[in-house]
Amino acid sequence: ALAAGGPADVVWAAFAVSVPILVAIDNLCLTERYRGEVSISAASWQCAFWIAMGLSFNAFIWCTLGTQEGISWLSGYVLEY
């Protein structure tokens, strides 16, 4: 287990800060509000953006908490995707 005040707290803080920012980006920049149907191109870019964000966070976990935690996070991400 990780001690309180350790690297896990840094990861949780980064997660808590990044999620609202990414949701705002999604709502303001990535969402096509005025179309009835999302194009394949727009949907592909949105998927690519979110996959890149997930893998970026995985790299952050890997660097902050170590290889085992990085592999665990990536396994869960792939399983859920």
Side-chain angles (χ1 to χ4, degrees):
L2 298 170
D9 289 343
V10 172
V11 171
W12 278 111
F15 183 77
V17 169
S18 64
V19 167
I21 292 170
L22 290 172
V23 169
I25 290 171
D26 186 40
N27 285 329
L28 297 173
C29 301
L30 299 177
T31 304
E32 295 184 29
R33 297 173 189 228
Y34 304 109
R35 288 188 173 176
E37 192 172 310
V38 177
S39 70
I40 291 174
S41 175
S44 298
W45 280 110
Q46 289 175 7
C47 284
F49 172 79
W50 286 110
I51 290 169
M53 291 302 100
L55 293 175
S56 296
F57 191 72
N58 180 223
F60 176 70
I61 296 246
W62 196 302
C63 291
T64 306
L65 299 179
T67 302
Q68 186 58 43
E69 292 296 326
I71 291 171
S72 295
W73 196 94
L74 182 61
S75 298
Y77 183 75
V78 169
L79 180 68
E80 288 295 322
Y81 192 81

